[in-house]
Amino acid sequence: MATQYVTCPRCSAQNSSLNTTCMTCGSQLPIAPMPMQQMPNYGGAKPAGADKKILAGVLGIILGGLGIHKFVLGYQQEGVILLSVYLISIVVAFVTCGIGTPLIFVPTVIGIIEGIIYLTKSDEEFVQTYIVNKKPWF
Ligand SMILES: [Zn+2]
């Protein structure tokens, strides 16, 4: 790792950026330029769409089978698919006198898994994956 240097404004001596005062003349050093960090946000503002992360994640976990979290993210088609699978599962469970009941867990589990995935992503990752790239599943 390359050591960063700060030039003293008074005597022009090179000081390590770790120092706050000049090693040569003892004057206050300007704050070293930070190593370029990826900081797309200013003032801690969340990237657009990040506000949906918590909502979509929680809805996915609680009401995953209904596809509500898909609608929140603007995924109409996927939401309809999840909701349809859920409703069909209920009908199948009813028609088969309960034998088909486990089918209801399929959309529910998908919702829970997706909700957890949303919540474990950083705001930036979430926006990049689901708002920008529109990844339909998981
Ligand atoms: Zn100096």
Side-chain angles (χ1 to χ4, degrees), residues 52 56 68-75 118 126 130-131 134:
K52 290 177 179 171
I68 308 292
H69 62 296
K70 292 295 190 190
F71 292 114
V72 166
L73 292 176
Y75 295 2
Y118 297 166
F126 177 82
Y130 301 107
I131 308 294
K134 289 279 177 193

Side-chain angles (χ1 to χ4, degrees), residues 52-65 67-70 72-73 75 82 106-122 126 130 136-138:
K52 290 177 179 171
K53 186 181 85 168
I54 304 293
L55 181 64
V58 170
L59 284 174
I61 291 168
I62 299 172
L63 299 169
I68 308 292
H69 62 296
K70 292 295 190 190
V72 166
L73 292 176
Y75 295 2
L82 264 188
V106 174
T108 305
V109 167
I110 289 175
I112 292 172
I113 293 171
E114 291 188 329
I116 291 169
I117 291 173
Y118 297 166
L119 293 178
T120 51
K121 284 190 180 295
S122 71
F126 177 82
Y130 301 107
W137 299 101
F138 302 104

